[in-house]
Every structure is written in C-alpha cells, then in structure tokens.
Amino acid sequence: MASPLARGAPVCAPGLARQVEAIRFDAELDDEADPHCAGDIDQVVFRGSFAMEEVVFFHRASRTAIFGDLIQRFPETAAAGWKGAVMRLNDLVGEHRSTPREWHLSFLSRDAARAARRTVLDWNPSSF
C-alpha cells in the first residue's frame, strides 16, 4: 500500500486530528519521515509540552531546518502598537529567532524537548 504522502492523503501534526474533527487525516507525523521522502527529509517531533507538539523538518540537500510555529521572528515594521510591544517582550522582533516565552513554560517534560533539540543540532543545519 502506498504511503499517505504518496497518495496525496492529508497528514497532520501530532494531536491535530483530535482538534480539527471536520477534516479526516490519514496519518499523524512522527519522528520517522514518510518512506516516500525519507531520502530527502528528516523530521523530529518536539514533545514535552502540555500545549503542543511541533514537527521540525530537515531538508538534507540544502541543509535547511524547517520550523513551523516553534521558532518565530518578526521584522521591526510588523512590531507596531500593543502587539509590537508583546512581540518585543517575547523576543520575537529583530534578527534572531526565538520561541515565545509562554511556549518555553509549556515544556514540562524538558528531557523530551532536549532530545528533539539534540536531533536538530546533530543535523548541523546551515540555515533555518
């Protein structure tokens, strides 16, 4: 049987299918890349948070780590008004990327998050 990606079937981040019941997902992403793209892409799930699980991808050919919401950065031009003040308090404005502070606090199982971070660092990405 072909993998969900090969069939074009929808896959989702861990736990999303329970939150979005209106969409039927065929599979949840985990630490193993789909066989259809395993030679090109590696992936790891950041676990340990009571609020979320985030999948990070690594494109081998370009040595690029691909983050979703786990790492954020906004340009100065987007940081206006009270929303800009909140973004600055969360270290989300400027050149360096960061994880929002409240998300840091959600990782109660630090060992699981550290293991995922170690995997990303072992990939030795040249860009993010």
Side-chain angles (χ1 to χ4, degrees):
M1 176 197 271
S3 71
L5 280 180
R7 294 191 319 265
V11 297
C12 66
L16 184 62
R18 291 185 301 278
Q19 297 173 17
V20 185
E21 295 178 2
I23 301 173
R24 187 181 73 72
F25 294 99
D26 283 1
E28 285 191 351
L29 298 169
D30 60 21
D31 289 327
E32 297 296 321
D34 185 275
H36 183 71
C37 58
D40 299 316
I41 301 285
D42 292 323
Q43 64 194 53
V44 66
V45 178
F46 265 78
R47 293 182 172 86
S49 168
F50 64 82
M52 67 170 169
E53 290 185 332
E54 185 79 20
V55 182
V56 178
F57 301 93
F58 179 66
H59 182 247
R60 292 180 185 181
S62 66
R63 306 213 44 79
T64 301
I66 304 164
F67 289 82
D69 295 333
L70 186 64
I71 303 291
Q72 299 181 17
R73 182 203 132 347
F74 297 91
E76 291 286 338
T77 57
W82 69 269
K83 289 182 181 180
V86 171
M87 289 189 293
R88 281 188 178 79
L89 287 171
N90 272 308
D91 289 331
L92 301 178
V93 178
E95 182 179 334
H96 302 288
R97 295 149 189 87
S98 183
T99 299
R101 291 181 196 272
E102 67 272 15
W103 290 5
H104 278 276
L105 299 173
S106 76
F107 283 90
L108 301 180
S109 175
R110 303 265 175 180
D111 290 342
R114 285 184 185 118
R117 182 184 66 188
R118 172 57 33 213
T119 297
V120 171
L121 294 174
D122 286 348
W123 290 336
N124 194 26
S126 60
S127 61
F128 294 89

